[in-house]
Amino acid sequence: MGEESGERQWPGASHPAAKTAAEAVPGSEQNRQPSVHEGGEMNPDHAKYQRLIDYCQTIPATPTAVVYPCDQSSLEGATEAARLDLIAATLVGPRDQIQAVADRHGIDVSGMDIVDAPDAKAAAEAAVALVREGKAEALMKGSLHTDDLLGAVVRRDTGLRTSRRISHCFVMDVPGHEDALIITDAAVNIAPTLEEKADILQNAIDFAHALRVPEVRVAILSAMEVVNPKVPSTVEAAALCKMVDRRQITGALVDGPLALDNAIDMEAARTKKIESPVAGRANVLLVPDLEAGNMLAKSLSFLAGADAAGIVLGARVPIILTSRADSVLTRLASCAVAVLVAAARREGDRILR
């Protein structure tokens, strides 16, 4: 699905709704903010993320509560995303500490709203309250622990729970691989049950549609591609596929169990004589558990040079989950995927009304 120049496209680029930034808004090429790589330092191996960011700059900035941005990387990520009009940031945390970090590192927070909160847990609660009050449509993790943020999100009376299980997706931009890969769940659910995997799978499918992926193809991964009663993940993969057949899970082509090689490589699938619309062509990978997912994502990052944008799904709003090790481009890509999820939710709400 490469362009005429041979450059690979973002996975949703061929979808009718997924125009380029210049096509989406008349005059947008002249009016948009400069992209993060316009200093001539664009790495062509990561062009998928840049096209995603460029496209999301044509969408109105998403009101976002940035939770406890009390170190350089998290504050810089939030302010850069705001500068590029991806998010309209409200900083939530100790005002004096945020300002001190900004002053120390030359980060301009003038003009940004700051909601004062004394510590990380109070900041998480205040940010969740902003969502419940309709003042934010996304959350962005700062320098607090993920557990502190998600603890406020999943609280029964005051949180942002839905009927779905909370889960995490990485959007991996892998050099040399034509499409971006969505990997789930590598950060939240440690050893999900079959019921929880059904929610994780549906979250990922809905997410892929929000990213405007024209055909969502999910591989349910295991160590092998045959059902083996001694390997529980293969049995659960088969059960999930039957749930798809019965339309308990909808919106994608789903197959499994599949091993990683025959999930993403056509030659490997042909060698194993696997006949499937997913095998060799998967763009979503559902892993057996957090350990497998974490090792897969980090192997792609550290051995294949992939970038990994992260987002938490299943709550009332998308949650941008970044790491201190993330590059600026990866942080912006995480914001961009949240922008698309928030836009899809707004569109869904409009249709329901």
Side-chain angles (χ1 to χ4, degrees):
M1 55 186 291
E3 299 173 88
E4 290 182 6
S5 65
E7 187 179 30
R8 295 185 299 278
Q9 295 192 23
W10 181 252
S14 60
H15 191 282
K19 302 177 181 178
T20 65
E23 293 169 334
V25 176
S28 62
E29 189 60 31
Q30 291 76 29
N31 295 333
R32 69 179 178 83
Q33 291 289 329
S35 75
V36 70
H37 283 298
E38 282 179 0
E41 56 198 81
M42 180 61 190
N43 181 346
D45 284 340
H46 304 290
K48 292 189 282 292
Y49 273 2
Q50 187 61 61
R51 281 192 293 275
L52 170 68
I53 293 164
D54 288 344
Y55 173 67
C56 287
Q57 287 181 270
T58 71
I59 300 173
T62 298
T64 301
V66 184
V67 188
Y68 203 73
C70 292
D71 66 1
Q72 180 182 0
S73 60
S74 61
L75 190 57
E76 277 184 339
T79 55
E80 181 68 5
R83 185 185 72 83
L84 295 178
D85 291 329
L86 295 173
I87 65 173
T90 297
L91 310 179
V92 186
R95 183 186 300 272
D96 291 345
Q97 192 171 343
I98 292 171
Q99 189 62 59
V101 171
D103 293 342
R104 187 179 312 121
H105 298 287
I107 302 169
D108 184 8
V109 295
S110 61
M112 284 190 172
D113 292 333
I114 300 179
V115 174
D116 198 17
D119 54 40
K121 289 187 177 180
E125 292 168 1
V128 166
L130 289 176
V131 173
R132 293 176 65 92
E133 294 164 8
K135 297 177 181 177
E137 296 180 20
L139 296 176
M140 183 174 183
K141 177 181 175 288
S143 55
L144 75 170
H145 290 296
T146 300
D147 287 349
D148 288 338
L149 176 56
L150 294 186
V153 168
V154 301
R155 195 159 292 140
R156 288 197 176 275
D157 297 331
T158 59
L160 304 173
R161 296 168 69 110
T162 68
S163 59
R164 291 268 186 89
R165 179 84 177 178
I166 296 285
S167 64
H168 179 273
C169 283
F170 276 126
V171 183
M172 305 289 298
D173 184 354
V174 185
H177 193 76
E178 183 176 6
D179 292 339
L181 288 173
I182 297 173
I183 297 175
T184 190
D185 180 339
V188 173
N189 292 282
I190 298 172
T193 64
L194 175 61
E195 183 179 15
E196 291 164 352
K197 284 184 179 180
D199 273 355
I200 293 168
L201 176 53
Q202 191 67 66
N203 282 346
I205 293 169
D206 293 348
F207 176 51
H209 285 294
L211 293 185
R212 296 165 171 81
V213 175
E215 183 178 66
V216 184
R217 301 182 295 270
V218 183
I220 305 173
L221 296 185
S222 184
M224 59 196 71
E225 61 281 345
V226 295
V227 178
N228 183 338
K230 295 180 180 179
V231 183
S233 62
T234 67
V235 178
E236 292 182 346
L240 288 167
C241 289
K242 183 53 65 176
M243 293 172 77
V244 172
D245 291 344
R246 296 289 187 264
R247 299 194 61 77
Q248 294 170 264
I249 300 166
T250 60
L253 299 172
V254 180
D255 196 11
L258 290 171
L260 178 62
D261 57 347
N262 49 59
I264 62 173
D265 184 83
M266 285 298 299
E267 187 58 35
R270 281 193 288 266
T271 299
K272 290 290 184 74
K273 297 181 171 55
I274 301 171
E275 296 182 8
S276 162
V278 173
R281 305 171 62 236
N283 46 31
V284 178
L285 305 177
L286 178 70
V287 299
D289 54 34
L290 182 145
E291 290 176 309
N294 188 274
M295 285 185 275
L296 172 58
K298 287 183 177 177
S299 295
L300 290 173
S301 294
F302 288 92
L303 297 178
D307 283 326
I311 189 167
V312 172
L313 306 163
R316 282 166 50 178
V317 298
I319 303 167
I320 303 159
L321 207 62
T322 57
S323 165
R324 282 174 294 182
D326 286 345
S327 66
V328 173
L329 181 63
T330 300
R331 289 176 182 275
L332 294 177
S334 296
C335 292
V337 296
V339 167
L340 289 176
V341 172
R345 290 183 181 229
R346 284 194 298 272
E347 179 64 15
D349 290 344
R350 185 189 66 77
I351 291 171
L352 289 174
R353 286 197 298 268

